[in-house]
Amino acid sequence: MFSSVVPLARLNPFHAPHLQLLQDGVRKRPDPAEPPSPRRSLAAAAIAEEEYSCEYGSLKFYALCGFGGVLSCGLTHTAVVPLDLVKCRIQVDPQKYKSIFNGFSVTVKEDGVRGLAKGWAPTFFGYSMQGLCKFGFYEVFKVLYGNLLGEENSYLWRTSLYLAASASAEFFADIALAPMEAAKVRIQTQPGYANTLRQAAPKMFAEEGVWAFYKGVVPLWMRQIPYTMMKFACFERTVEALYKYVVPKPRSECSKPEQLVVTFTAGYIAGVFCAIVSHPADSVVSVLNKEKGSSASQVLVRLGFKGVWKGLFARIIMIGTLTALQWFIYDSVKVYFRLPRPPPPEMPESLKKKLALTE
C-alpha cells in the first residue's frame, strides 16, 4: 500500500511531506477489505520518532532553534570581526581609512595583527544573545501569526507572514544586542578608549550611565529590523524558488547535504539584499556610538546621502558571507537535532478546490 501511494503522491506538483503522506495514507484511506494492523501503526510511529526529535512548535523545538541562533550569529559575527572593524572605521573616519585594503593596512601598521581582533568579546556575547532572540522568536511568531491567519491565508500571505514574524523577533533581539554593540563600536573606533569589554563597560557607565548602552537602540532597530525582514522573507522565498525552478528534483528526494547547499545559496542571495537595505542605518549607528551627545537625526543630517553609503562594498561582502553561513549553521543544527524542517509551502487542498485546481 505504501509503495504505491508514495510514488504517485510525489508526482503531484503539490505533494505533501513524505511523513505526512504515510500518516494520512494510513488514517484517511484504509482498505475496507483489510482489518487495521497494529504493526502498521507501530511502524508509522517508529518512522515519526526516528524522523523528528520533537514536535513542531513545542517548547523543545523553540529552545533548540534559539540555540541554533546562538551558534549561527555568535560564531559568524565573531569570525568576521576584522572586516567589521575596518568597515566601522571607514564609516566614522573616511579620510583616514579610504578603502577596505587601505583600512586593513593602516590598522595593522598602528595596532599590529592583534588589533584586527578588537571588539571580539562584545561581538560574541552581543550577537549570541541577538541570535537566540532572532531565530527563536521568529519561529514562535511565525507559528503564532500563522495560526491567527489560518491555513489558506498563511499560504496566500506567506511573504507578509515572514516579514511580520521576523520584524517582531528582531525588535526583542536588538534590545538584547544594544549594550554589546555600543561597547564594540567604542572599542573599535575610538583609539585609546578601551581595548577590552572589561575596560569599556565600566567606563561607559561612569560617563553616561545606562543610557550609554541603549542610546543606539532606535537606530539599531532602523538598521536591523529592515535587515532581518529582508533576511528571512528573501531567504524563504528564494528557497521556494530554487526548489521550484532550479533544483531538478523535489526537496523530499534531496539528501541532507544537497538541502544544505540550497540553504547556503539562498542565504547568500538574501544577504546581499540585506546589506543594501540596512547600510544607511548601520552608518548612523557606527557614528552615533562613537560620539557623545549626538542624536540619530543629527548624525544623519551631517553624513548626508553620500556619507551613509560609505563602506557599502565591505558590508556586502561581510553580510553576504555572514548570512549564508548563518542559515547554513542554523539549518545544520536543525538537521543534527532532528528538528522538524517543513518543506517549502504548498497550496492547501481546500484552496486548490476553491480555485478549481483539483477535480
Side-chain angles (χ1 to χ4, degrees):
M1 179 178 177
F2 294 113
S3 59
S4 61
V5 171
V6 174
L8 289 174
R10 283 179 174 171
L11 293 175
N12 181 354
F14 302 103
H15 70 277
H18 181 62
L19 175 63
Q20 183 180 342
L21 285 171
L22 288 176
Q23 293 173 333
D24 289 351
V26 173
R27 184 174 62 252
K28 294 183 179 179
R29 297 184 178 85
D31 188 349
E34 181 180 352
S37 171
R39 183 177 299 176
R40 287 185 176 179
S41 300
L42 290 174
I47 292 172
E49 185 178 351
E50 180 182 353
E51 183 73 18
Y52 303 131
S53 64
C54 61
E55 292 183 6
Y56 181 74
S58 65
L59 288 177
K60 181 180 178 181
F61 173 78
Y62 294 137
L64 290 174
C65 285
F67 177 68
V70 168
L71 294 181
S72 67
C73 291
L75 295 178
T76 53
H77 276 277
T78 304
V80 296
V81 160
L83 185 59
D84 183 47
L85 179 143
V86 172
K87 182 266 301 178
C88 288
R89 290 184 172 182
I90 292 173
Q91 290 172 327
V92 302
D93 194 355
Q95 300 301 320
K96 182 177 180 180
Y97 305 94
K98 297 178 176 61
S99 66
I100 299 177
F101 301 107
N102 176 258
F104 273 105
S105 177
V106 172
T107 299
V108 171
K109 285 180 182 178
E110 292 182 349
D111 303 326
V113 176
R114 291 185 64 183
L116 293 172
K118 274 189 174 182
W120 74 266
T123 297
F124 176 75
F125 292 116
Y127 282 94
S128 292
M129 292 303 299
Q130 188 213 34
L132 172 68
C133 299
K134 184 198 297 272
F135 284 93
F137 285 158
Y138 173 71
E139 300 288 356
V140 171
F141 284 116
K142 188 166 70 169
V143 171
L144 176 63
Y145 296 157
N147 290 338
L148 291 174
L149 288 172
E151 184 182 25
E152 293 182 5
N153 287 329
S154 293
Y155 175 80
L156 292 173
W157 297 91
R158 58 192 182 279
T159 302
S160 299
L161 174 63
Y162 304 146
L163 293 171
S166 57
S168 301
E170 190 60 37
F171 177 85
F172 296 101
D174 290 342
I175 296 174
L177 170 64
M180 294 295 102
E181 178 73 4
K184 175 187 78 75
V185 173
R186 290 284 182 95
I187 293 170
Q188 291 181 337
T189 62
Q190 287 188 252
Y193 184 83
N195 290 320
T196 65
L197 177 60
R198 286 177 295 177
Q199 295 173 354
K203 194 172 182 179
M204 291 170 64
F205 182 78
E207 291 175 351
E208 299 180 72
V210 177
W211 176 244
F213 299 101
Y214 287 99
K215 71 176 184 178
V217 72
V218 173
L220 202 56
W221 281 330
M222 292 168 56
R223 180 188 83 183
Q224 288 298 129
I225 289 179
Y227 162 84
T228 301
M229 292 171 72
M230 182 65 72
K231 174 179 181 173
F232 282 87
C234 185
F235 172 79
E236 298 269 20
R237 293 311 299 260
T238 302
V239 167
E240 187 177 337
L242 288 175
Y243 279 114
K244 187 174 183 180
Y245 300 110
V246 179
V247 180
K249 55 186 176 181
R251 179 180 181 269
S252 59
E253 296 178 10
C254 295
S255 64
K256 291 296 190 297
E258 289 172 337
Q259 292 177 15
L260 291 174
V261 169
V262 174
T263 295
F264 184 86
T265 304
Y268 210 103
I269 293 171
V272 173
F273 288 100
C274 290
I276 296 170
V277 165
S278 63
H279 189 73
D282 182 63
S283 297
V284 173
V285 170
S286 295
V287 176
L288 187 66
N289 283 322
K290 177 191 175 186
E291 299 178 352
K292 298 177 186 177
S294 297
S295 66
S297 58
Q298 291 171 337
V299 171
L300 186 60
V301 170
R302 189 167 70 252
L303 288 175
F305 179 80
K306 188 176 181 180
V308 297
W309 295 104
K310 291 282 186 181
L312 176 61
F313 181 65
R315 184 166 167 79
I316 286 177
I317 296 174
M318 183 183 80
I319 296 300
T321 306
L322 207 66
T323 306
L325 288 174
Q326 284 176 358
W327 279 114
F328 183 83
I329 293 171
Y330 181 64
D331 217 22
S332 297
V333 169
K334 281 187 167 183
V335 169
Y336 179 79
F337 286 109
R338 295 184 293 110
L339 299 184
R341 298 163 62 243
E346 299 164 351
M347 186 178 292
E349 291 293 333
S350 58
L351 188 57
K352 285 190 279 186
K353 290 178 181 178
K354 288 181 181 179
L355 298 175
L357 293 178
T358 58
E359 296 182 358

